[in-house]
Amino acid sequence: TECRETIKKICDSFAVSPIARDIIETASLVNGAGVGIELARAKHHANDPYFLQPMDGVDSTGYRASWWTQFYCILWRSWLSVLKDPMLVKVRLLQTAMVASLIGSIYFGQVLDQDGVMNINGSLFLFLTNMTFQNVFAVINVFSAELPVFLREKRSRLYRVDTYFLGKTIAELPLFIAVPFVFTSITYPMIGLKAGVSHYLTTLFIVTLVANVSTSFGYLIS
């Protein structure tokens, strides 16, 4: 109800605006005049913001913008939507830090004996399961939530499916790199896994790949 009242106020404000009066006058004159007058007025109003321009740039596929232009616009819009919800990013990172601290506390300070090897195997299993399920469920509603907007804009030939998919995934990629980084940076030293920068970076690289593959699987389900 509140949204409809807001829309009604916007429509009422536009109806009494100078632009609306100009549009009504232009439409009346064009409809009442001949073809020559109509073409003349169309040419005269070609630069007006409310006048539809001829679609000279439309290619054989029906899209006015190029592939790169579509991709850039979708990427920029998706990135802005991520920035508009910083609390979600903070909650994700805080949740990851808490789970990592919990796993690190359970498997804290392992040594390389028979029990330690079994425990390290268990911790690595939790590495994979946490990165898998956390990222799958994080994106499982992404596309279904935006489906009405996507279908409307797709029918309007604003962009292709592949540009939308790539723009959405790349815009959220920094978060799905930051989450594995936070998780690995906390649990790796707490558990006492193999020391050395190269070993840590190898683990971080594998965990990041697992997280992003899980994200892609979540996108597939969505």
Side-chain angles (χ1 to χ4, degrees), residues 82-165:
V82 173
L83 295 180
K84 288 179 180 178
D85 197 2
M87 183 57 65
L88 178 62
V89 177
K90 294 178 182 179
V91 169
R92 287 288 309 279
L93 294 177
L94 180 61
Q95 176 189 4
T96 302
M98 293 176 62
V99 173
S101 300
L102 178 62
I103 295 175
S105 301
I106 295 174
Y107 294 97
F108 184 79
Q110 297 298 317
V111 294
L112 287 179
D113 54 15
Q114 185 62 37
D115 292 334
V117 170
M118 297 293 293
N119 291 334
I120 290 174
N121 282 336
S123 66
L124 295 180
F125 172 76
L126 289 180
F127 264 63
L128 299 179
T129 55
N130 183 72
M131 285 294 100
T132 299
F133 292 108
Q134 178 181 355
N135 290 286
V136 166
F137 290 114
V139 300
I140 203 167
N141 290 322
V142 167
F143 293 121
S144 57
E146 296 186 1
L147 188 60
V149 175
F150 167 75
L151 291 177
R152 183 177 68 249
E153 295 178 342
K154 178 66 174 63
R155 293 191 188 103
S156 301
R157 311 293 287 177
L158 294 181
Y159 47 75
R160 297 169 173 82
V161 177
D162 55 348
T163 55
Y164 174 76
F165 178 79

Side-chain angles (χ1 to χ4, degrees), residues 30 42 172 203:
V30 169
E172 297 179 353
T203 305

Side-chain angles (χ1 to χ4, degrees), residues 14 16 25 47 75 82 88 118 123 163 166 184 191-193 195 212 222:
F14 177 77
V16 298
E25 293 175 2
N47 295 323
L75 178 62
V82 173
L88 178 62
M118 297 293 293
S123 66
T163 55
L166 291 174
T184 307
I191 296 174
L193 298 177
N212 284 274
S222 181

Side-chain angles (χ1 to χ4, degrees), residues 1-8:
T1 304
E2 183 179 354
C3 291
R4 294 187 179 186
E5 291 177 355
T6 303
I7 293 173
K8 186 176 183 302

Side-chain angles (χ1 to χ4, degrees), residues 31-72:
N31 291 332
V35 175
I37 298 177
E38 181 177 347
L39 292 175
R41 292 198 63 83
K43 183 178 180 180
H44 175 71
H45 290 281
N47 295 323
D48 288 348
Y50 53 83
F51 196 89
L52 291 178
Q53 302 296 320
M55 299 184 67
D56 297 330
V58 176
D59 55 16
S60 58
T61 61
Y63 297 100
R64 187 170 187 176
S66 64
W67 190 94
W68 286 107
T69 303
Q70 297 175 30
F71 172 73
Y72 173 78

